[in-house]
Structures are given as structure tokens and as C-alpha cells.
């Protein structure tokens, strides 16, 4: 989906296909047929943007076989789909029964991560629509916080500088400007937008920036306006933003709240949980500014025993559908998304032109909330995109055909 910003530039809205995990190129082609095109049809659109997730085997097949890449581009065109952004965070196995910590490997200190991201950039350059010259890729925020020392940090920074050089060469060769954004996530070396400033300064290249995921932003109790202002002041490019909402519990000490949270404690993904015992407000509107953040790696750890103080609200890294907040006593952090979006694209010029709805947890929801058929999943994704579309038009953007 494309939108015209008041400054005349085009803002792209897509949804991420990591909700339909596939490890092979054949699996990706099946996604287009079985999921992506049906979502487009439900929206009544001639064209729909998708943010492709390409596992290592699919990416390798595309980068080593020009005919396969041409075939994918043809299939996208035939089904009314377009790609300007890729999700390069998961390397493989995102559809496994248990993902948890595996999603953080290989990290940026491992050569496989550089090779994979280079392949993704080359693939994206070949998939961009004819009238689009800019592409974006989101990636792991360096590494999970453990087993990461100064030596591995130096190796990771060197890998990203090497990637930047390769992106420069790719632009020279193809005329396509591909940029990569570190995606801050709770528990990682780069957990918050503030954590990204030093490593990005060390890398020092405008094709390496940040991907702002609004669920992660909210989980870490970051104020979206302060965070985005700090990125702008530091001249850190926002390569893309993933529009997502976290799980919020206002009174986690109450038994019924804990019971409701327990329904979201599932075995497939990590649901890092955070609280900020010291919250204050320093701007009109009362948005909390976090201090002394406390957390656990997973929701179950927070619920068991006294690992996390429960006198202040909890937020869990669980991407809940944008249009369907959990039933009381829980809710979502949709308001954080709205505040972030207003700053990202509501000003005189957009801070980013690539937006991606990323709710990959549909099948991890409590059983009664999960879609039971492809048609139900397509309906839910279409509803999320409709909400995002309405938010954009409310900010003054004009939807394009």
C-alpha cells in the first residue's frame, strides 16, 4: 500500500510474511498464493506491499540463481504484490515449535550473519518495483546480551562496516539504495533506541541505521517522542518502522491479571517482560518516562515467584493484533504505536518511508483467539492493515491506488 505524504514523498505500508514461516523458495511462493494475495483481495486493492522474510535457504536460492529471482519477481507482479522491505532478523527456523533464543543466532560477530544480509540486499535490489529505488532490511541488534565481549563487539562492528561498503557497491552497480536497520529488542545488546547510538556512531555510515519496532519500544517503556527526537538529533536514519503492539498489564499483582497473563505464556517465542518501578512524567499528556527498568527473559519467569516487582505495570514482548486488544484486565500498547507513528510520518517530512505491520504471533495467541483457518488469518491481517491505513490518513497522508 502506498501513501502520498504532504511533502510529496511516497510512504510504503506492508505486512511482514514471517507470520507465514517458510524455509524454502517453494514455501515463499506458496505464501504468496495462499496468504498474501487473499489479504490483498480482502482489502480490495490492486497492489499490496509485503515485507518478505527469507530464511537462509530461500535467500541462497535466489541470490545464486538469477532465473529464480526473476521468477519470484514475476510471481509478485502476477499476484498484485510488491516488496520494498525485507525482515532479515530471523536466520532460519522461525516456524519451529520452539524458537526462543535460537532467533538470535547467528549474531553479527558470526560471518554467517554478514553473508546472509549481503544476500538479502542483493535479492531486494532485484525485487524492488521499477519505480522504487530505495529498499530496507531490518536485522538483529548486534547480538543477545550474553556471550558478547569486546572482541565480539569489534568483530560485529567490522562486519557492519563491511556490509556498508557492499551496500555502496550495490548502489553503484544497480542504482538501488538498500539500507539496513538494527532493530532494538529487549534482552539484546541494543535493547533500546538509546543503546543504538554508540554502535551506530562506531559504524559511521548512513546506509546502516535503525528499525523502530513499536512493540519493542513500548516493552522497554521508552517514550516514543523522546526516542525519535534523540535519533533525529544524532542523525541516525530510521530505515524502517515495524508497527506492532505489546501486551500491557496495569496491575500485575492482582490474581486475575496474572491468570490472564498466563494464557499468553506459550512455548514457541520469548516474551521478554519489563517493568519500571520508578516512573515519572515530564511532558504534557503524562506519557511515562522509564527509569530503573527491570525485566525477565520470558513471561513465565515473571509470573513464577518474585523475579519481577509487581507494584508497577508490566509489559511483555508479545505482538498482539493491532485491531484487537486483549480482553480486560489486559490491554495493548496501541497508544505508543500511535504516538510513534505521529512523529515518524506526521511531521513536515517523514522520518521513514517504510512501514511494516509485524504481528507474527497469531498462532501463538491463547487458543480461543487463534485463527482456525487461512481465511480467518487473512481477515485478521487485513483488519490490521486497515487500522494502519486509517491512522496514516488521519495524519494527512493520502492513500494511492
Amino acid at each position: 500500500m502506498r501513501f502520498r505524504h504532504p511533502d510529496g514523498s511516497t510512504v510504503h505500508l506492508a505486512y511482514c510474511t514471517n507470520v507465514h514461516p517458510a524455509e524454502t523458495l517453494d514455501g515463499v511462493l506458496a505464501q504468496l498464493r495462499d496468504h498474501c494475495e487473499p489479504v490483498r483481495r480482502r482489502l480490495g486493492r490492486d497492489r499490496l506491499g509485503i515485507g518478505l522474510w527469507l530464511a537462509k535457504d530461500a535467500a541462497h536460492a535466489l541470490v545464486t540463481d538469477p532465473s529464480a529471482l526473476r521468477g519470484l519477481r514475476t510471481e509478485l507482479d502476477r499476484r498484485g504484490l510488491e516488496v520494498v522491505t525485507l525482515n532479515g532478523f530471523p536466520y532460519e527456523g522461525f516456524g519451529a515449535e520452539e524458537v526462543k533464543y535460537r532467533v538470535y543466532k547467528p549474531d553479527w560477530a558470526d560471518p554467517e550473519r554478514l553473508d546472509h544480509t549481503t544476500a538479502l540486499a542483493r535479492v531486494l535490489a532485484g525485487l524492488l518495483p521499477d519505480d522504487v529505488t530505495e529498499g530496507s532490511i531490518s536485522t538483529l541488534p548486534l547480538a543477545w546480551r550474553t556471550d558478547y565481549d569486546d572482541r565480539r563487539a569489534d568483530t560485529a562492528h567490522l562486519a557492519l562496516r563491511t556490509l556498508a561498503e557492499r551496500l555502496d557497491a550495490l548502489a553503484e552497480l544497480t542504482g538501488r539504495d538498500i539500507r539496513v536497520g538494527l532493530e532494538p529488542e529487549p534482552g539484546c545488546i541494543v535493547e533500546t533506541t538509546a543503546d543504538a547510538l554508540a554502535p551506530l556512531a562506531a559504524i559511521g555510515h548512513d546506509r546502516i541505521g535503525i528499525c523502530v519496532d513499536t512493540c519493542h519500544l513500548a516493552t522497554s517503556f521508552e517514550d516514543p517522542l523522546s526516542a525519535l527526537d534523540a535519533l533525529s538529533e544524532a542523525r541516525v536514519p530510521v530505515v524502517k518502522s515495524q508497527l506492532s503492539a505489546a501486551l500491557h498489564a496495569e496491575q500485575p499483582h492482582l490474581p486475575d491479571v496474572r491468570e490472564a497473563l498466563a494464557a499468553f505464556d506459550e512455548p514457541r517465542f520469548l516474551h521478554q517482560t519489563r517493568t519500571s518501578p520508578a516512573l515519572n512524567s515530564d511532558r504534557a499528556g503524562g506519557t511515562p518516562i522509564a527509569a530503573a527498568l527491570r525485566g525477565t527473559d520470558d513471561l513465565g519467569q515473571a509470573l513464577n515467584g518474585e523475579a519481577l516487582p509487581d507494584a508497577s505495570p508490566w509489559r511483555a514482548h508479545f505482538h498482539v493484533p493491532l485491531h484487537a486488544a486483549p480482553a480486560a484486565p489486559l490491554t495493548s500498547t496501541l497508544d505508543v504505536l500511535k504516538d510513534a507513528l505521529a512523529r515518524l510520518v506526521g511531521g513536515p517530512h517523514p522520518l521513514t518511508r517504510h512501514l511494516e505491520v509485524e504481528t507474527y504471533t497469531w498462532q501463538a495467541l491463547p487458543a480461543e483467539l487463534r485463527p482456525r483457518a487461512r481465511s480467518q488469518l487473512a481477515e485478521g491481517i487485513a483488519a490490521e492493515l486497515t487500522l494502519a491505513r486509517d491512522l496514516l490518513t488521519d495524519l494527512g497522508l493520502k492513500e494511492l491506488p
Side-chain angles (χ1 to χ4, degrees), residues 139-154:
T139 190
L140 177 77
L142 298 182
W144 186 252
R145 68 179 184 278
T146 56
D147 190 32
Y148 191 77
D149 54 20
D150 289 344
R151 180 186 61 83
R152 289 183 68 80
D154 290 342

Side-chain angles (χ1 to χ4, degrees), residues 17 29 68 95 105 129 134 252 263 315 362 393:
T17 64
L29 294 171
K105 291 293 186 178
E134 296 181 356
R315 289 178 179 172
W362 280 94
T393 56

Side-chain angles (χ1 to χ4, degrees), residues 85-208:
T85 189
L86 300 179
N87 187 330
F89 196 130
Y91 180 71
E92 61 182 340
F94 202 61
E97 290 186 5
E98 182 177 327
V99 178
K100 299 288 185 183
Y101 295 95
R102 292 172 53 189
V103 76
Y104 306 106
K105 291 293 186 178
D107 64 35
W108 273 102
D110 299 319
E112 296 88 350
R113 179 60 67 171
L114 173 60
D115 292 344
H116 177 58
T117 310
T118 301
L120 292 177
R122 291 172 177 163
V123 168
L124 182 55
L127 293 180
L128 288 177
D130 291 340
D131 61 343
V132 175
T133 59
E134 296 181 356
S136 62
I137 302 171
S138 49
T139 190
L140 177 77
L142 298 182
W144 186 252
R145 68 179 184 278
T146 56
D147 190 32
Y148 191 77
D149 54 20
D150 289 344
R151 180 186 61 83
R152 289 183 68 80
D154 290 342
T155 302
H157 294 170
L158 177 59
L160 282 161
R161 286 193 290 269
T162 300
L163 175 67
E165 293 171 359
R166 293 177 180 179
L167 296 176
D168 287 344
L170 186 64
E172 182 74 20
L173 179 66
T174 66
R176 302 298 177 90
D177 179 14
I178 308 299
R179 298 191 298 168
V180 173
L182 303 182
E183 181 187 331
E185 175 165 316
C188 292
I189 292 298
V190 175
E191 171 156 342
T192 67
T193 56
D195 294 337
L197 299 181
L200 288 174
I203 294 159
H205 198 288
D206 61 4
R207 284 197 167 97
I208 309 295

Side-chain angles (χ1 to χ4, degrees), residues 312-325:
S312 299
W314 286 3
R315 289 178 179 172
H317 173 216
F318 195 117
H319 290 220
V320 296
L322 302 186
H323 68 293

